[in-house]
Amino acid sequence: MGRRWRDGRGELRVRGQRPEDEDPVTVPLEIATSYRARTKGLLGRDRVEGAILLSPASGVHTFRMRIPIDVAYLDRRLDVIAVRTMKPGRLGLPRLRSRHVLEAAAGTMADWGVKPGVRVRIEAPPRQLPR
């Protein structure tokens, strides 16, 4: 179930765990798949509009960041493994099963329902593979 995206924009969709939960929460998403985009991430920003997906990634750091962030580690099926809030100047430990990392402003992931055990969806055009 390999996911391949390209740098750009998309949407993060989070549905509640119960069937009676309403429509999924939809969040603007920046997608960073190239080495350059992943290493830049949220560095130097004063705020975050929505979230950013780093892929592939198993860990992050907040050195040279100006704001605290929420970090969600996702496995290959886009199930949330763990969510942590990180202050600037910290090194997050890599997660062994993590294939993707979501970053957002501190406190927003709980509002969206992003927590361990939840599966998120990424809506974005797939990367075109060479023929």
Side-chain angles (χ1 to χ4, degrees):
M1 194 172 190
R3 301 229 176 352
R4 295 189 184 269
W5 300 287
R6 60 177 172 233
D7 291 349
R9 302 259 175 217
E11 289 182 340
L12 170 68
R13 294 183 185 237
V14 184
R15 182 177 298 282
Q17 291 183 306
R18 299 179 316 233
E20 64 271 15
D21 288 340
E22 296 184 20
D23 293 332
V25 173
T26 302
V27 178
L29 183 68
E30 183 178 334
I31 300 169
T33 59
S34 68
Y35 176 78
R36 182 178 178 157
R38 287 191 325 264
T39 55
K40 184 172 191 291
L42 296 176
L43 296 178
R45 298 189 196 184
D46 291 323
R47 60 188 174 97
V48 184
E49 295 294 331
I52 183 170
L53 174 74
L54 306 176
S55 179
S58 61
V60 297
H61 68 81
T62 58
F63 300 121
R64 297 186 0 233
M65 285 197 183
R66 299 177 182 168
I67 58 172
I69 60 170
D70 281 349
V71 177
Y73 299 89
L74 310 176
D75 68 11
R76 66 185 47 182
R77 293 177 19 173
L78 301 180
D79 291 330
V80 178
I81 299 168
V83 179
R84 300 287 181 262
T85 300
M86 294 178 64
K87 295 178 182 177
R90 303 289 194 261
L91 176 62
L93 296 175
R95 305 289 170 169
L96 292 178
R97 292 183 6 240
S98 179
R99 297 294 180 264
H100 318 282
V101 174
L102 279 173
E103 296 179 342
T108 56
M109 289 202 188
D111 293 342
W112 300 337
V114 175
K115 59 186 174 185
V118 168
R119 180 173 292 168
V120 300
R121 279 187 25 205
I122 307 297
E123 298 290 331
R127 182 173 75 184
Q128 296 299 315
L129 298 176
R131 292 181 182 196

